[in-house]
Coordinates of all heavy atoms in Angstrom, one line a residue:
M1 N -33.7 -27.1 -9.0 CA -32.4 -26.6 -8.6 C -31.6 -26.3 -9.8 O -30.8 -25.3 -9.9 CB -31.7 -27.6 -7.7 CG -30.5 -27.1 -7.0 SD -30.6 -26.0 -5.7 CE -30.6 -26.7 -4.2
V2 N -31.6 -27.1 -10.9 CA -30.8 -26.9 -12.1 C -31.3 -25.6 -12.7 O -30.5 -24.8 -13.2 CB -31.0 -28.1 -13.0 CG1 -30.3 -27.8 -14.4 CG2 -30.5 -29.3 -12.4
F3 N -32.6 -25.3 -12.8 CA -33.1 -24.1 -13.3 C -32.6 -22.9 -12.6 O -32.2 -21.9 -13.3 CB -34.7 -24.1 -13.3 CG -35.3 -22.9 -13.8 CD1 -35.3 -22.6 -15.2 CD2 -35.9 -21.9 -13.0 CE1 -35.8 -21.4 -15.7 CE2 -36.4 -20.8 -13.5 CZ -36.4 -20.5 -14.8
E4 N -32.5 -23.0 -11.3 CA -32.0 -21.8 -10.5 C -30.5 -21.6 -10.9 O -30.1 -20.4 -11.0 CB -32.2 -22.1 -9.0 CG -33.6 -22.0 -8.6 CD -33.8 -22.4 -7.1 OE1 -32.8 -22.7 -6.5 OE2 -34.9 -22.4 -6.7
D5 N -29.8 -22.6 -11.0 CA -28.3 -22.4 -11.4 C -28.2 -21.8 -12.7 O -27.4 -20.9 -12.9 CB -27.6 -23.8 -11.4 CG -27.4 -24.4 -10.0 OD1 -27.5 -23.6 -9.0 OD2 -27.2 -25.6 -9.9
K6 N -29.0 -22.2 -13.7 CA -29.0 -21.6 -15.0 C -29.4 -20.2 -15.0 O -28.9 -19.3 -15.7 CB -29.8 -22.4 -16.0 CG -29.2 -23.7 -16.4 CD -30.1 -24.4 -17.4 CE -29.5 -25.7 -17.9 NZ -30.3 -26.4 -18.8
M7 N -30.4 -19.9 -14.1 CA -30.9 -18.5 -14.0 C -29.8 -17.6 -13.4 O -29.7 -16.5 -13.9 CB -32.2 -18.5 -13.2 CG -33.0 -17.3 -13.3 SD -34.6 -17.5 -12.6 CE -34.2 -16.8 -11.0
I8 N -29.1 -18.1 -12.5 CA -28.1 -17.2 -11.9 C -26.9 -17.0 -12.8 O -26.4 -15.9 -12.9 CB -27.5 -17.9 -10.6 CG1 -28.7 -17.9 -9.5 CG2 -26.3 -17.2 -10.1 CD1 -28.3 -18.7 -8.3
T9 N -26.5 -18.0 -13.6 CA -25.4 -17.8 -14.5 C -25.9 -17.4 -15.9 O -25.1 -17.4 -16.8 CB -24.6 -19.1 -14.6 OG1 -25.4 -20.2 -15.0 CG2 -24.0 -19.5 -13.2
N10 N -27.2 -17.2 -16.1 CA -27.7 -16.9 -17.4 C -27.4 -18.0 -18.4 O -27.3 -17.8 -19.6 CB -27.2 -15.6 -17.9 CG -27.6 -14.4 -17.1 OD1 -28.7 -14.5 -16.5 ND2 -26.8 -13.4 -17.0
G11 N -27.4 -19.3 -18.0 CA -27.1 -20.4 -18.9 C -25.7 -20.5 -19.4 O -25.4 -21.4 -20.2
E12 N -24.8 -19.6 -19.0 CA -23.5 -19.6 -19.5 C -22.6 -20.4 -18.5 O -22.9 -20.4 -17.3 CB -22.9 -18.2 -19.6 CG -23.7 -17.4 -20.6 CD -23.2 -15.9 -20.6 OE1 -22.2 -15.6 -19.9 OE2 -23.8 -15.1 -21.2
P13 N -21.6 -21.1 -19.0 CA -20.8 -21.9 -18.1 C -20.0 -20.9 -17.2 O -19.6 -19.8 -17.6 CB -19.8 -22.6 -19.0 CG -19.9 -21.9 -20.3 CD -21.2 -21.3 -20.4
E14 N -19.8 -21.4 -15.9 CA -19.1 -20.5 -15.0 C -17.7 -20.4 -15.3 O -17.0 -21.4 -15.7 CB -19.3 -21.1 -13.6 CG -20.7 -21.0 -13.1 CD -20.8 -21.5 -11.6 OE1 -19.8 -21.5 -10.9 OE2 -21.9 -21.9 -11.3
E15 N -17.1 -19.2 -15.3 CA -15.7 -19.0 -15.5 C -15.0 -19.3 -14.2 O -15.4 -18.8 -13.1 CB -15.4 -17.6 -16.0 CG -16.1 -17.4 -17.4 CD -15.8 -16.0 -17.8 OE1 -14.9 -15.3 -17.3 OE2 -16.5 -15.5 -18.7
E16 N -13.8 -19.9 -14.3 CA -13.0 -20.1 -13.1 C -12.3 -18.8 -12.7 O -11.8 -18.1 -13.6 CB -12.0 -21.2 -13.3 CG -12.6 -22.5 -13.5 CD -11.5 -23.6 -13.7 OE1 -10.3 -23.4 -13.3 OE2 -11.8 -24.6 -14.3
E17 N -12.4 -18.4 -11.5 CA -11.8 -17.2 -11.0 C -10.3 -17.4 -10.9 O -9.9 -18.5 -10.4 CB -12.4 -16.8 -9.7 CG -13.9 -16.4 -9.8 CD -14.4 -15.9 -8.5 OE1 -13.6 -15.6 -7.6 OE2 -15.6 -15.9 -8.3
E18 N -9.5 -16.5 -11.3 CA -8.1 -16.6 -11.1 C -7.7 -16.3 -9.7 O -8.3 -15.5 -9.0 CB -7.4 -15.5 -12.0 CG -7.6 -15.8 -13.5 CD -6.8 -14.8 -14.3 OE1 -5.9 -14.2 -13.8 OE2 -7.3 -14.5 -15.4
E19 N -6.8 -17.0 -9.2 CA -6.3 -16.8 -7.8 C -5.4 -15.6 -7.8 O -4.4 -15.5 -8.4 CB -5.6 -18.0 -7.3 CG -6.5 -19.2 -7.1 CD -5.7 -20.4 -6.5 OE1 -4.7 -20.1 -5.9 OE2 -6.2 -21.5 -6.7
E20 N -5.9 -14.5 -7.1 CA -5.1 -13.3 -7.0 C -4.0 -13.4 -6.0 O -3.1 -12.6 -5.9 CB -6.0 -12.2 -6.6 CG -7.0 -11.8 -7.7 CD -7.9 -10.7 -7.3 OE1 -7.4 -9.9 -6.5 OE2 -9.0 -10.5 -7.9
E21 N -3.9 -14.5 -5.2 CA -2.9 -14.7 -4.2 C -1.5 -14.8 -4.9 O -0.5 -14.5 -4.4 CB -3.2 -15.9 -3.4 CG -4.4 -15.7 -2.6 CD -4.9 -17.0 -1.9 OE1 -4.5 -18.1 -2.4 OE2 -5.5 -16.9 -0.9
D22 N -1.5 -15.4 -6.1 CA -0.2 -15.7 -6.8 C 0.3 -14.4 -7.4 O 1.5 -14.3 -7.6 CB -0.4 -16.7 -7.9 CG -0.8 -18.1 -7.4 OD1 -0.6 -18.3 -6.2 OD2 -1.4 -18.9 -8.1
M23 N -0.5 -13.5 -7.7 CA -0.1 -12.2 -8.3 C 0.5 -11.3 -7.2 O -0.2 -11.1 -6.2 CB -1.2 -11.6 -9.1 CG -1.7 -12.4 -10.2 SD -3.1 -11.7 -11.1 CE -2.2 -10.3 -11.9
V24 N 1.6 -10.7 -7.5 CA 2.2 -9.8 -6.6 C 2.4 -8.5 -7.3 O 3.0 -8.4 -8.4 CB 3.6 -10.3 -6.0 CG1 4.2 -9.3 -5.1 CG2 3.4 -11.6 -5.3
D25 N 1.9 -7.4 -6.7 CA 2.1 -6.1 -7.3 C 3.5 -5.6 -7.1 O 4.0 -5.5 -6.0 CB 1.2 -5.1 -6.6 CG 1.2 -3.7 -7.2 OD1 1.8 -3.5 -8.3 OD2 0.5 -2.8 -6.6
P26 N 4.2 -5.4 -8.2 CA 5.6 -5.0 -8.1 C 5.8 -3.6 -7.4 O 6.8 -3.4 -6.8 CB 6.1 -4.9 -9.6 CG 4.9 -4.9 -10.4 CD 3.8 -5.5 -9.6
L27 N 4.8 -2.8 -7.5 CA 4.9 -1.5 -6.8 C 5.0 -1.7 -5.3 O 5.8 -1.1 -4.6 CB 3.8 -0.6 -7.2 CG 3.7 0.8 -6.5 CD1 5.0 1.6 -6.9 CD2 2.5 1.5 -6.9
E28 N 4.1 -2.6 -4.8 CA 4.1 -2.9 -3.3 C 5.5 -3.5 -2.9 O 6.0 -3.2 -1.8 CB 3.0 -3.8 -3.0 CG 1.6 -3.1 -3.1 CD 1.5 -1.9 -2.2 OE1 1.9 -2.0 -1.0 OE2 0.9 -0.9 -2.6
T29 N 6.0 -4.4 -3.7 CA 7.3 -5.0 -3.4 C 8.4 -3.9 -3.3 O 9.2 -3.9 -2.3 CB 7.7 -6.0 -4.4 OG1 6.6 -7.0 -4.5 CG2 8.9 -6.7 -4.1
V30 N 8.4 -3.0 -4.3 CA 9.5 -2.0 -4.3 C 9.3 -1.0 -3.1 O 10.2 -0.6 -2.5 CB 9.5 -1.2 -5.6 CG1 10.4 0.0 -5.6 CG2 9.8 -2.2 -6.8
R31 N 8.0 -0.7 -2.8 CA 7.7 0.2 -1.6 C 8.2 -0.4 -0.4 O 8.8 0.3 0.5 CB 6.2 0.4 -1.5 CG 5.7 1.5 -2.5 CD 4.2 1.7 -2.3 NE 3.7 2.8 -3.1 CZ 2.5 3.0 -3.4 NH1 1.5 2.2 -2.8 NH2 2.1 4.0 -4.2
Q32 N 8.0 -1.7 -0.2 CA 8.5 -2.4 1.1 C 10.0 -2.3 1.2 O 10.5 -2.1 2.2 CB 8.0 -3.8 1.1 CG 6.5 -3.9 1.4 CD 6.0 -5.3 1.3 OE1 6.7 -6.3 0.9 NE2 4.7 -5.6 1.6
K33 N 10.7 -2.6 0.0 CA 12.1 -2.5 0.1 C 12.6 -1.1 0.3 O 13.6 -0.9 1.1 CB 12.7 -3.0 -1.3 CG 12.5 -4.5 -1.5 CD 13.1 -4.9 -2.8 CE 12.9 -6.4 -3.0 NZ 13.3 -6.9 -4.3
C34 N 12.0 -0.1 -0.2 CA 12.4 1.3 0.0 C 12.1 1.7 1.4 O 12.9 2.5 1.9 CB 11.7 2.2 -1.0 SG 12.3 2.1 -2.7
E35 N 11.1 1.2 2.0 CA 10.8 1.6 3.4 C 11.9 1.1 4.4 O 12.0 1.6 5.5 CB 9.5 1.0 3.8 CG 8.3 1.8 3.2 CD 6.9 1.2 3.6 OE1 6.9 0.3 4.5 OE2 5.9 1.7 3.0
E36 N 12.7 0.2 3.9 CA 13.8 -0.3 4.8 C 15.1 0.5 4.6 O 16.1 0.2 5.3 CB 14.1 -1.8 4.4 CG 12.9 -2.7 4.7 CD 13.0 -4.1 4.2 OE1 14.0 -4.4 3.6 OE2 12.1 -4.9 4.4
T37 N 15.2 1.4 3.7 CA 16.4 2.2 3.5 C 16.5 3.2 4.7 O 15.5 3.5 5.4 CB 16.3 3.0 2.2 OG1 15.2 3.9 2.3 CG2 16.2 2.1 1.0
D38 N 17.7 3.7 4.9 CA 18.0 4.5 6.1 C 17.2 5.8 6.1 O 16.7 6.2 7.1 CB 19.5 4.9 6.1 CG 20.4 3.7 6.4 OD1 19.9 2.8 7.1 OD2 21.6 3.7 6.1
H39 N 17.1 6.4 5.0 CA 16.3 7.7 4.9 C 14.9 7.5 5.2 O 14.3 8.3 6.0 CB 16.5 8.3 3.5 CG 16.0 9.7 3.4 ND1 16.5 10.8 4.1 CD2 14.9 10.2 2.7 CE1 15.8 11.9 3.8 NE2 14.9 11.6 3.0
C40 N 14.3 6.4 4.7 CA 12.9 6.1 5.0 C 12.7 5.7 6.4 O 11.6 6.0 7.1 CB 12.3 5.1 4.0 SG 12.1 5.6 2.4
V41 N 13.6 4.9 7.0 CA 13.5 4.5 8.4 C 13.5 5.7 9.3 O 12.7 5.8 10.2 CB 14.6 3.5 8.7 CG1 14.7 3.3 10.2 CG2 14.4 2.2 8.0
H42 N 14.4 6.7 9.0 CA 14.5 7.9 9.8 C 13.2 8.7 9.7 O 12.6 9.2 10.7 CB 15.6 8.8 9.3 CG 15.8 10.1 10.1 ND1 16.1 10.1 11.4 CD2 15.6 11.3 9.6 CE1 16.1 11.4 11.8 NE2 15.8 12.1 10.7
A43 N 12.6 8.8 8.5 CA 11.4 9.6 8.3 C 10.2 8.8 9.0 O 9.3 9.5 9.6 CB 11.1 9.7 6.8
R44 N 10.2 7.5 9.0 CA 9.1 6.7 9.7 C 9.3 6.9 11.2 O 8.3 7.1 11.9 CB 9.2 5.3 9.3 CG 8.1 4.5 10.0 CD 8.1 3.0 9.7 NE 7.7 2.7 8.4 CZ 6.4 2.6 8.1 NH1 5.5 2.9 8.9 NH2 6.1 2.3 6.9
E45 N 10.5 6.9 11.7 CA 10.7 7.1 13.1 C 10.1 8.5 13.6 O 9.5 8.6 14.6 CB 12.1 7.0 13.5 CG 12.6 5.6 13.4 CD 14.2 5.5 13.6 OE1 14.8 6.5 13.7 OE2 14.6 4.3 13.7
R46 N 10.4 9.5 12.8 CA 9.9 10.9 13.1 C 8.4 10.9 13.0 O 7.7 11.5 13.9 CB 10.4 11.9 12.1 CG 11.9 12.2 12.3 CD 12.4 13.3 11.4 NE 11.6 14.5 11.6 CZ 11.2 15.3 10.5 NH1 11.6 15.0 9.3 NH2 10.5 16.4 10.7
L47 N 7.8 10.2 12.1 CA 6.3 10.1 12.0 C 5.7 9.4 13.2 O 4.7 9.8 13.8 CB 5.9 9.3 10.7 CG 4.4 9.1 10.5 CD1 3.6 10.4 10.5 CD2 4.2 8.3 9.2
E48 N 6.3 8.2 13.6 CA 5.8 7.5 14.7 C 6.0 8.3 16.0 O 5.1 8.2 16.9 CB 6.5 6.1 14.8 CG 6.1 5.2 13.7 CD 6.9 3.9 13.7 OE1 7.9 3.8 14.4 OE2 6.6 3.0 12.8
A49 N 7.1 9.0 16.1 CA 7.3 9.9 17.3 C 6.2 10.9 17.4 O 5.6 11.2 18.5 CB 8.6 10.5 17.3
C50 N 5.9 11.5 16.3 CA 4.8 12.5 16.2 C 3.5 12.0 16.6 O 2.7 12.5 17.3 CB 4.8 13.2 14.8 SG 3.5 14.4 14.6
E51 N 3.2 10.8 16.0 CA 1.9 10.1 16.3 C 1.8 9.8 17.8 O 0.7 10.0 18.4 CB 1.7 8.9 15.5 CG 1.5 9.1 14.0 CD 1.5 7.9 13.2 OE1 1.9 6.8 13.6 OE2 1.0 8.0 12.0
T52 N 2.9 9.4 18.4 CA 2.9 9.1 19.9 C 2.6 10.4 20.6 O 1.8 10.4 21.6 CB 4.2 8.5 20.3 OG1 4.4 7.3 19.5 CG2 4.2 8.1 21.7
R53 N 3.3 11.4 20.3 CA 3.2 12.7 20.9 C 1.8 13.3 20.8 O 1.2 13.7 21.8 CB 4.2 13.7 20.4 CG 4.3 15.1 21.0 CD 5.3 16.0 20.5 NE 5.1 16.3 19.1 CZ 5.9 15.8 18.1 NH1 7.0 15.1 18.3 NH2 5.7 16.2 16.8
V54 N 1.2 13.2 19.6 CA -0.1 13.8 19.4 C -1.2 12.9 20.1 O -2.1 13.4 20.7 CB -0.4 13.9 17.9 CG1 -1.9 14.2 17.6 CG2 0.5 15.0 17.3
G55 N -0.9 11.6 20.1 CA -1.9 10.7 20.7 C -1.9 10.8 22.2 O -2.9 10.4 22.9
S56 N -0.8 11.2 22.8 CA -0.7 11.3 24.3 C -1.4 12.6 24.8 O -1.7 12.7 26.0 CB 0.7 11.3 24.7 OG 1.4 12.5 24.3
R57 N -1.7 13.5 23.9 CA -2.3 14.8 24.4 C -3.8 14.7 24.2 O -4.3 14.2 23.2 CB -1.8 16.0 23.6 CG -0.3 16.1 23.8 CD 0.2 17.3 23.0 NE 1.7 17.4 23.2 CZ 2.4 18.2 22.5 NH1 1.9 18.9 21.5 NH2 3.7 18.3 22.7
S58 N -4.6 15.3 25.1 CA -6.0 15.3 25.0 C -6.5 16.4 24.2 O -7.5 16.2 23.4 CB -6.7 15.3 26.4 OG -6.2 16.5 27.1
E59 N -5.9 17.5 24.3 CA -6.3 18.7 23.4 C -5.1 19.2 22.7 O -4.2 19.8 23.3 CB -6.9 19.8 24.3 CG -8.3 19.4 24.9 CD -8.9 20.5 25.7 OE1 -8.6 21.7 25.4 OE2 -9.6 20.2 26.7
T60 N -5.1 19.1 21.4 CA -4.0 19.6 20.6 C -4.5 19.9 19.2 O -5.4 19.3 18.7 CB -2.8 18.7 20.6 OG1 -1.8 19.3 19.8 CG2 -3.2 17.4 19.9
T61 N -3.9 20.9 18.6 CA -4.2 21.3 17.2 C -3.1 20.7 16.3 O -3.3 20.8 15.1 CB -4.3 22.8 17.0 OG1 -3.1 23.4 17.4 CG2 -5.4 23.4 17.8
E62 N -2.1 20.1 16.9 CA -1.0 19.6 16.1 C -1.5 18.3 15.4 O -2.2 17.5 16.0 CB 0.2 19.2 17.0 CG 1.4 18.7 16.3 CD 2.5 18.3 17.2 OE1 2.3 18.2 18.4 OE2 3.6 18.0 16.6
D63 N -1.1 18.1 14.2 CA -1.2 16.8 13.5 C 0.1 16.5 12.9 O 1.1 17.2 12.9 CB -2.4 16.9 12.5 CG -2.1 17.9 11.4 OD1 -1.0 18.5 11.3 OD2 -3.0 18.2 10.6
C64 N 0.2 15.3 12.3 CA 1.5 14.8 11.8 C 1.5 14.9 10.3 O 2.2 14.0 9.7 CB 1.7 13.4 12.3 SG 1.7 13.3 14.1
T65 N 0.9 15.8 9.7 CA 0.8 15.9 8.3 C 2.2 16.1 7.7 O 2.6 15.5 6.7 CB -0.1 17.1 7.8 OG1 -1.4 16.9 8.4 CG2 -0.2 17.2 6.3
E66 N 3.0 17.0 8.2 CA 4.3 17.3 7.7 C 5.2 16.0 7.8 O 5.9 15.7 6.8 CB 5.0 18.4 8.5 CG 6.4 18.7 8.0 CD 7.1 19.8 8.8 OE1 6.4 20.4 9.7 OE2 8.3 20.1 8.5
E67 N 5.2 15.3 8.9 CA 5.9 14.1 9.0 C 5.5 13.0 8.0 O 6.3 12.3 7.5 CB 5.9 13.6 10.5 CG 6.7 14.4 11.4 CD 5.9 15.7 11.9 OE1 4.8 15.9 11.5 OE2 6.5 16.4 12.7
L68 N 4.2 12.9 7.9 CA 3.6 11.9 6.9 C 4.1 12.2 5.5 O 4.5 11.3 4.8 CB 2.1 11.9 7.0 CG 1.4 11.0 5.9 CD1 1.8 9.5 6.1 CD2 -0.1 11.2 6.0
F69 N 4.0 13.5 5.1 CA 4.4 13.9 3.8 C 5.9 13.7 3.6 O 6.4 13.3 2.5 CB 4.1 15.3 3.5 CG 2.6 15.5 3.2 CD1 2.1 16.8 3.2 CD2 1.7 14.5 2.9 CE1 0.7 17.0 2.9 CE2 0.4 14.7 2.6 CZ -0.1 15.9 2.6
D70 N 6.7 13.9 4.6 CA 8.2 13.7 4.5 C 8.4 12.2 4.3 O 9.3 11.8 3.5 CB 8.9 14.1 5.8 CG 8.9 15.7 5.9 OD1 8.7 16.4 4.9 OD2 9.2 16.1 7.0
F71 N 7.7 11.3 5.0 CA 7.9 9.9 4.9 C 7.5 9.4 3.5 O 8.2 8.7 2.8 CB 7.1 9.1 5.9 CG 7.1 7.6 5.7 CD1 8.2 6.9 5.8 CD2 5.9 7.0 5.2 CE1 8.2 5.5 5.5 CE2 5.9 5.7 4.9 CZ 7.0 4.9 5.1
L72 N 6.3 9.9 3.0 CA 5.8 9.5 1.7 C 6.7 10.0 0.6 O 7.0 9.3 -0.4 CB 4.4 10.0 1.5 CG 3.3 9.3 2.4 CD1 2.0 10.0 2.1 CD2 3.3 7.8 2.2
H73 N 7.3 11.2 0.8 CA 8.2 11.8 -0.2 C 9.5 10.9 -0.3 O 9.9 10.6 -1.4 CB 8.5 13.2 0.1 CG 9.5 13.8 -0.8 ND1 9.2 14.2 -2.1 CD2 10.8 14.1 -0.6 CE1 10.3 14.7 -2.6 NE2 11.3 14.6 -1.8
A74 N 10.0 10.6 0.9 CA 11.3 9.8 0.9 C 11.0 8.4 0.2 O 11.8 8.0 -0.6 CB 11.7 9.6 2.3
R75 N 9.9 7.8 0.6 CA 9.6 6.5 0.0 C 9.4 6.6 -1.5 O 9.9 5.8 -2.3 CB 8.4 5.9 0.7 CG 8.1 4.4 0.2 CD 6.8 3.9 0.7 NE 5.8 4.7 0.1 CZ 4.5 4.5 0.3 NH1 4.1 3.7 1.3 NH2 3.6 5.2 -0.2
D76 N 8.6 7.5 -1.9 CA 8.3 7.6 -3.3 C 9.5 8.0 -4.2 O 9.6 7.7 -5.3 CB 7.1 8.6 -3.5 CG 5.8 8.1 -3.0 OD1 5.7 6.8 -2.8 OD2 4.8 8.8 -2.9
H77 N 10.4 8.8 -3.6 CA 11.6 9.2 -4.3 C 12.4 7.9 -4.5 O 13.0 7.8 -5.7 CB 12.4 10.2 -3.4 CG 13.7 10.7 -4.1 ND1 13.7 11.6 -5.1 CD2 15.0 10.3 -3.9 CE1 14.9 11.8 -5.5 NE2 15.7 11.0 -4.8
C78 N 12.5 7.1 -3.6 CA 13.3 5.8 -3.8 C 12.5 4.9 -4.8 O 13.2 4.3 -5.7 CB 13.4 5.1 -2.4 SG 14.0 3.4 -2.5
V79 N 11.2 4.8 -4.7 CA 10.4 4.0 -5.6 C 10.6 4.5 -7.0 O 10.7 3.7 -7.9 CB 8.9 4.0 -5.1 CG1 8.1 3.4 -6.2 CG2 8.8 3.2 -3.8
A80 N 10.6 5.8 -7.2 CA 10.6 6.3 -8.6 C 11.9 5.8 -9.3 O 11.8 5.6 -10.6 CB 10.6 7.8 -8.5
H81 N 12.9 5.6 -8.6 CA 14.2 5.2 -9.3 C 14.2 3.7 -9.5 O 15.0 3.2 -10.4 CB 15.4 5.6 -8.4 CG 15.6 7.0 -8.4 ND1 16.0 7.8 -9.4 CD2 15.4 7.9 -7.4 CE1 16.1 9.0 -9.1 NE2 15.7 9.2 -7.8
K82 N 13.4 2.9 -8.8 CA 13.4 1.4 -8.9 C 12.3 0.7 -9.6 O 12.4 -0.4 -10.1 CB 13.6 0.9 -7.5 CG 14.9 1.3 -6.8 CD 15.0 0.7 -5.5 CE 16.3 1.2 -4.8 NZ 16.5 0.7 -3.5
V83 N 11.1 1.4 -9.6 CA 9.9 0.6 -10.0 C 9.9 0.2 -11.5 O 9.5 -0.9 -11.8 CB 8.6 1.4 -9.7 CG1 8.5 2.6 -10.6 CG2 7.4 0.5 -9.7
F84 N 10.4 1.0 -12.3 CA 10.4 0.7 -13.8 C 11.4 -0.4 -14.1 O 11.3 -1.0 -15.2 CB 10.6 1.9 -14.6 CG 9.4 2.8 -14.5 CD1 9.4 4.0 -13.8 CD2 8.2 2.5 -15.1 CE1 8.3 4.8 -13.7 CE2 7.1 3.3 -15.0 CZ 7.1 4.5 -14.3
Q85 N 12.4 -0.6 -13.3 CA 13.3 -1.7 -13.5 C 12.7 -3.1 -13.3 O 13.1 -4.0 -13.9 CB 14.5 -1.5 -12.6 CG 15.4 -0.3 -12.9 CD 16.4 -0.1 -11.8 OE1 16.5 -0.8 -10.8 NE2 17.2 1.0 -11.9
S86 N 11.7 -3.1 -12.5 CA 11.0 -4.4 -12.2 C 9.8 -4.7 -13.1 O 9.3 -5.8 -13.1 CB 10.6 -4.4 -10.7 OG 9.5 -3.5 -10.5
I87 N 9.4 -3.8 -13.9 CA 8.3 -4.0 -14.8 C 8.8 -4.6 -16.1 O 9.8 -4.0 -16.7 CB 7.5 -2.7 -15.1 CG1 6.9 -2.2 -13.7 CG2 6.4 -2.9 -16.1 CD1 6.2 -0.9 -13.8
K88 N 8.2 -5.6 -16.6 CA 8.6 -6.2 -17.9 C 8.0 -5.5 -19.1 O 7.0 -5.0 -19.1 CB 8.2 -7.6 -17.9 CG 8.9 -8.5 -16.9 CD 8.5 -9.9 -17.0 CE 9.2 -10.7 -16.0 NZ 8.8 -12.1 -16.0

């Protein structure tokens, strides 16, 4: 069994893996905060209304691309002003 362990690790000591749970991506944190702003909430509501409308129809060529882009634009506009303040 010892030989198999050495063969798997190539005889090198195993490195301890860092716990990624402790690390928080600052971009994700800023995105979440920006999604709570009035402009983003309004854009998300329009997106969800569109998804509900499109999902309720059996045959439609409509998709929610415009609403999705509007939401992403609003969120990214907010993020652009805040993300570099949180980076060291």
